[in-house]
Coordinates of all heavy atoms in Angstrom, one line a residue:
T314 N 34.8 161.1 135.6 CA 33.7 160.2 135.8 C 32.4 160.9 136.0 O 31.4 160.5 135.4 CB 34.0 159.3 137.1 OG1 35.3 158.7 136.9 CG2 33.0 158.3 137.3
T315 N 32.4 161.8 136.9 CA 31.1 162.5 137.3 C 30.3 163.1 136.2 O 29.1 162.8 136.1 CB 31.4 163.5 138.4 OG1 32.1 162.8 139.5 CG2 30.1 164.1 139.0
P316 N 30.9 163.9 135.3 CA 30.1 164.5 134.2 C 29.4 163.4 133.3 O 28.3 163.6 133.0 CB 31.1 165.3 133.4 CG 32.2 165.5 134.3 CD 32.3 164.4 135.3
F317 N 30.1 162.4 133.0 CA 29.6 161.3 132.2 C 28.4 160.6 132.9 O 27.4 160.3 132.3 CB 30.6 160.4 131.7 CG 31.6 160.9 130.7 CD1 32.9 161.0 130.9 CD2 31.1 161.5 129.5 CE1 33.8 161.5 130.0 CE2 32.0 162.0 128.5 CZ 33.3 162.1 128.8
L318 N 28.6 160.3 134.2 CA 27.6 159.7 134.9 C 26.3 160.6 135.1 O 25.2 160.1 135.0 CB 28.1 159.2 136.2 CG 29.1 158.1 136.2 CD1 29.6 157.7 137.6 CD2 28.7 156.9 135.4
L319 N 26.6 161.9 135.3 CA 25.4 162.8 135.3 C 24.7 162.8 134.0 O 23.4 162.8 134.0 CB 25.9 164.2 135.7 CG 26.3 164.4 137.2 CD1 26.9 165.8 137.3 CD2 25.0 164.3 138.0
L320 N 25.4 162.8 132.9 CA 24.7 162.8 131.6 C 24.0 161.5 131.4 O 22.9 161.5 130.9 CB 25.8 163.0 130.5 CG 26.3 164.4 130.3 CD1 27.5 164.4 129.4 CD2 25.2 165.4 129.8
S321 N 24.6 160.4 131.8 CA 23.9 159.1 131.7 C 22.6 159.1 132.5 O 21.6 158.6 132.0 CB 24.9 158.0 132.2 OG 24.3 156.8 132.1
S322 N 22.7 159.6 133.7 CA 21.5 159.6 134.6 C 20.4 160.5 134.0 O 19.2 160.1 134.0 CB 21.9 160.2 136.0 OG 20.8 160.2 136.8
A323 N 20.8 161.6 133.4 CA 19.8 162.5 132.8 C 19.1 161.8 131.6 O 17.9 161.9 131.4 CB 20.4 163.8 132.4
C324 N 20.0 161.1 130.8 CA 19.4 160.5 129.6 C 18.5 159.3 130.0 O 17.5 159.1 129.4 CB 20.6 160.0 128.7 SG 21.4 161.3 127.8
F325 N 18.9 158.5 131.0 CA 18.1 157.4 131.5 C 16.8 158.0 132.0 O 15.7 157.4 131.8 CB 18.8 156.6 132.6 CG 19.7 155.6 132.1 CD1 21.0 155.4 132.6 CD2 19.3 154.7 131.1 CE1 21.9 154.4 132.1 CE2 20.2 153.7 130.6 CZ 21.5 153.6 131.1
A326 N 16.8 159.1 132.7 CA 15.6 159.7 133.3 C 14.6 160.1 132.2 O 13.4 159.9 132.4 CB 15.9 160.8 134.2
K327 N 15.1 160.6 131.1 CA 14.3 161.0 130.0 C 13.8 159.9 129.1 O 12.8 160.0 128.4 CB 15.0 162.1 129.1 CG 15.4 163.3 129.9 CD 14.3 164.3 129.8 CE 14.7 165.6 130.5 NZ 13.7 166.5 130.6
S328 N 14.6 158.8 129.1 CA 14.2 157.7 128.1 C 13.5 156.5 128.7 O 12.7 155.9 128.1 CB 15.5 157.2 127.4 OG 16.4 156.6 128.3
S329 N 13.9 156.1 130.0 CA 13.3 154.9 130.5 C 13.3 154.9 132.0 O 14.4 155.0 132.6 CB 14.1 153.7 130.0 OG 13.7 152.5 130.7
T330 N 12.2 154.9 132.6 CA 12.1 154.9 134.1 C 12.7 153.6 134.7 O 13.4 153.6 135.7 CB 10.6 154.9 134.5 OG1 10.0 156.0 133.9 CG2 10.5 155.0 136.0
R331 N 12.5 152.5 134.0 CA 13.1 151.2 134.4 C 14.6 151.3 134.4 O 15.2 150.8 135.4 CB 12.6 150.1 133.5 CG 13.1 148.8 133.8 CD 12.5 147.7 132.9 NE 13.4 146.6 132.8 CZ 13.7 146.0 131.7 NH1 13.1 146.4 130.5 NH2 14.5 145.0 131.6
F332 N 15.3 151.8 133.4 CA 16.7 151.8 133.3 C 17.2 152.9 134.3 O 18.3 152.7 134.8 CB 17.2 152.0 131.9 CG 17.3 150.8 131.1 CD1 16.4 150.5 130.1 CD2 18.3 149.8 131.4 CE1 16.4 149.4 129.4 CE2 18.3 148.7 130.6 CZ 17.4 148.4 129.6
H333 N 16.5 153.9 134.5 CA 16.9 155.0 135.5 C 17.0 154.4 136.9 O 17.9 154.6 137.6 CB 16.0 156.2 135.4 CG 16.5 157.3 136.2 ND1 16.5 157.4 137.6 CD2 17.1 158.5 135.8 CE1 17.0 158.5 138.0 NE2 17.4 159.2 137.0
R334 N 15.9 153.6 137.2 CA 15.9 153.0 138.6 C 17.1 152.0 138.7 O 17.7 151.9 139.7 CB 14.6 152.2 138.8 CG 13.5 153.1 139.3 CD 12.3 152.2 139.8 NE 12.0 151.4 138.6 CZ 10.8 151.3 138.1 NH1 9.8 152.0 138.6 NH2 10.5 150.6 137.1
W335 N 17.3 151.2 137.6 CA 18.4 150.3 137.6 C 19.8 151.0 137.8 O 20.6 150.6 138.6 CB 18.5 149.5 136.3 CG 19.8 148.8 136.1 CD1 20.2 147.6 136.7 CD2 20.9 149.2 135.3 NE1 21.5 147.3 136.3 CE2 21.9 148.3 135.4 CE3 21.1 150.3 134.5 CZ2 23.1 148.4 134.8 CZ3 22.3 150.5 133.8 CH2 23.3 149.5 134.0
F336 N 20.0 152.1 137.0 CA 21.2 152.9 137.1 C 21.4 153.4 138.5 O 22.5 153.4 139.1 CB 21.2 154.0 136.1 CG 22.4 154.9 136.2 CD1 23.7 154.4 135.9 CD2 22.3 156.2 136.6 CE1 24.8 155.2 136.0 CE2 23.4 157.0 136.7 CZ 24.6 156.6 136.4
C337 N 20.3 153.9 139.2 CA 20.4 154.5 140.5 C 20.7 153.4 141.6 O 21.1 153.8 142.7 CB 19.1 155.2 140.8 SG 18.9 156.8 139.9
S338 N 20.6 152.2 141.2 CA 20.8 151.1 142.2 C 22.2 150.5 142.0 O 22.7 149.7 142.8 CB 19.8 150.0 142.1 OG 20.0 149.3 140.8
T339 N 23.0 151.0 141.0 CA 24.3 150.4 140.8 C 25.3 151.0 141.7 O 25.2 152.1 142.2 CB 24.8 150.7 139.3 OG1 24.9 152.1 139.1 CG2 23.8 150.1 138.3
K340 N 26.4 150.3 142.0 CA 27.5 150.8 142.8 C 28.2 152.0 142.2 O 28.6 152.9 142.9 CB 28.6 149.7 143.0 CG 28.1 148.6 143.9 CD 28.1 149.1 145.4 CE 27.8 147.9 146.3 NZ 27.4 148.4 147.6
L341 N 28.3 152.0 140.9 CA 28.9 153.2 140.2 C 28.1 154.5 140.5 O 28.7 155.5 140.8 CB 28.9 152.9 138.7 CG 29.7 153.8 137.8 CD1 31.2 153.6 138.2 CD2 29.6 153.4 136.3
Y342 N 26.8 154.4 140.5 CA 26.0 155.6 140.9 C 26.2 155.9 142.3 O 26.4 157.0 142.7 CB 24.5 155.3 140.6 CG 23.6 156.4 141.0 CD1 23.4 157.5 140.2 CD2 23.0 156.3 142.2 CE1 22.5 158.5 140.6 CE2 22.1 157.4 142.7 CZ 21.9 158.4 141.8 OH 21.1 159.5 142.2
E343 N 26.1 154.9 143.2 CA 26.1 155.1 144.6 C 27.5 155.7 145.1 O 27.6 156.5 145.9 CB 25.8 153.8 145.4 CG 24.4 153.4 145.3 CD 24.1 152.1 146.0 OE1 25.0 151.5 146.6 OE2 22.9 151.6 145.9
N344 N 28.6 155.2 144.5 CA 29.9 155.7 144.8 C 30.3 157.0 144.3 O 31.1 157.7 144.9 CB 31.0 154.7 144.4 CG 30.9 153.4 145.1 OD1 30.3 153.3 146.2 ND2 31.4 152.3 144.5
N345 N 29.7 157.4 143.1 CA 30.1 158.6 142.5 C 29.1 159.7 142.4 O 29.5 160.9 142.4 CB 30.5 158.3 141.0 CG 31.8 157.5 141.0 OD1 32.9 157.9 141.3 ND2 31.6 156.2 140.7
L346 N 27.8 159.4 142.4 CA 26.8 160.5 142.2 C 25.8 160.6 143.3 O 25.2 161.7 143.5 CB 26.0 160.2 140.9 CG 26.7 160.4 139.6 CD1 25.7 160.1 138.5 CD2 27.2 161.8 139.5
K347 N 25.5 159.6 144.1 CA 24.4 159.6 145.0 C 24.5 160.8 146.0 O 23.5 161.5 146.2 CB 24.4 158.3 145.8 CG 23.1 158.2 146.7 CD 23.1 156.8 147.4 CE 21.8 156.7 148.2 NZ 21.7 155.4 148.8
S348 N 25.6 161.0 146.6 CA 25.7 162.1 147.6 C 25.5 163.5 146.9 O 24.9 164.4 147.4 CB 27.0 162.1 148.4 OG 28.1 162.3 147.5
F349 N 26.1 163.6 145.7 CA 25.9 164.9 145.0 C 24.5 165.1 144.6 O 24.0 166.2 144.7 CB 26.8 164.9 143.7 CG 26.7 166.1 142.9 CD1 27.3 167.3 143.4 CD2 26.0 166.2 141.8 CE1 27.2 168.5 142.7 CE2 25.8 167.4 141.1 CZ 26.4 168.5 141.5
V350 N 23.8 164.1 144.1 CA 22.4 164.3 143.7 C 21.5 164.6 144.9 O 20.6 165.4 144.8 CB 21.9 163.0 142.9 CG1 20.4 163.0 142.7 CG2 22.7 162.8 141.6
E351 N 21.8 163.9 146.0 CA 20.9 164.1 147.2 C 21.2 165.4 147.9 O 20.2 166.1 148.4 CB 21.1 163.0 148.2 CG 20.6 161.7 147.7 CD 20.9 160.5 148.6 OE1 21.7 160.7 149.6 OE2 20.4 159.4 148.4
T352 N 22.4 165.9 147.9 CA 22.8 167.1 148.7 C 23.2 168.3 147.8 O 23.3 169.4 148.4 CB 23.9 166.8 149.7 OG1 25.1 166.4 148.9 CG2 23.6 165.7 150.6

């Protein structure tokens, strides 16, 4: 899960601020990536 979500986050960050914000607010992001990205 984690590598694909990291790639997704990077692609959203480079392509669309709006979709990146949306992705960062999803449960999938919060449950799998949030702690890794923050710490």
